[in-house]
Amino acid sequence: MTKKRIIRNIFFLLVMLLNVGCDQISKNIAREKLNAYEPVSIIDHYFTLIKVENKGAFLSVGSALPEFLKFTLLSIIPLLALSYGIVYLCTRQNLSKINALALSFAIGGGLGNIYDRIIHGSVTDFLHIKLGNIQTGIFNMADVSISVALLLFILQAYIGSKKPKTINI
């Protein structure tokens, strides 16, 4: 492996770890400073902090599953997929910088939430945005990382679609 490749891998692994770190620090603050289900308005009810413990996946899907099945589906299988993602990120030669960055954000966010499920038995969510009739579910910084990853993947797809196509005759 070349020195350039090693530096690139270290950079993207650091991005991943920074995502996990920001997520875990913010969740620890939320656990210590917020009371469950008591909203704290930050920006005139547009941005609210409200701590909930999510025992399922996105929007609590799967929270009623038996514990063994829930642990397998929401922790073990995603952990295996994220492990594969790390190997893919570090070994793939032709991965664009935007896609590598997106993958780093996605893996970092996923690891943050899986860490919560394994260590705390649930994922701490605490952020809520409401803009008129439009509002989010309650989410956390890991979810923000995953959303940023999605936007970066879409950006890469858009940029890739704008490149001129060559036709071999």
Side-chain angles (χ1 to χ4, degrees), residues 32-71:
E32 290 175 10
K33 304 291 184 186
L34 298 174
N35 294 320
Y37 302 104
E38 289 184 18
V40 176
S41 180
I42 301 298
I43 302 175
D44 196 29
H45 302 290
Y46 296 112
F47 181 64
T48 306
L49 302 178
I50 181 167
K51 183 178 79 168
V52 298
E53 294 298 329
N54 183 352
K55 294 190 179 283
F58 178 70
L59 299 175
S60 296
V61 171
S63 60
L65 290 172
E67 286 303 315
F68 174 77
L69 188 57
K70 184 170 31 175
F71 184 74

Side-chain angles (χ1 to χ4, degrees), residues 143-155:
D143 301 328
V144 172
S145 294
I146 294 165
S147 297
V148 167
L150 179 62
L151 292 173
L152 288 170
F153 281 128
I154 291 170
L155 175 66

Side-chain angles (χ1 to χ4, degrees), residues 7-100:
I7 291 170
R8 181 181 190 272
N9 285 347
I10 289 171
F11 172 78
F12 289 118
L13 290 172
L14 282 174
V15 168
M16 187 186 322
L17 291 175
L18 284 171
N19 275 274
V20 173
C22 289
D23 174 62
Q24 288 303 305
I25 289 169
S26 65
K27 286 175 181 173
N28 285 335
I29 292 169
R31 283 187 205 103
E32 290 175 10
K33 304 291 184 186
L34 298 174
N35 294 320
Y37 302 104
E38 289 184 18
V40 176
S41 180
I42 301 298
I43 302 175
D44 196 29
H45 302 290
Y46 296 112
F47 181 64
T48 306
L49 302 178
I50 181 167
K51 183 178 79 168
V52 298
E53 294 298 329
N54 183 352
K55 294 190 179 283
F58 178 70
L59 299 175
S60 296
V61 171
S63 60
L65 290 172
E67 286 303 315
F68 174 77
L69 188 57
K70 184 170 31 175
F71 184 74
T72 301
L73 292 175
L74 300 181
S75 296
I76 300 300
I77 292 172
L79 189 57
L80 292 172
L82 292 171
S83 298
Y84 174 76
I86 294 169
V87 171
Y88 183 85
L89 176 67
C90 292
T91 59
R92 186 70 187 237
Q93 297 293 326
N94 61 346
L95 195 60
S96 74
K97 289 177 184 169
I98 293 176
N99 279 339

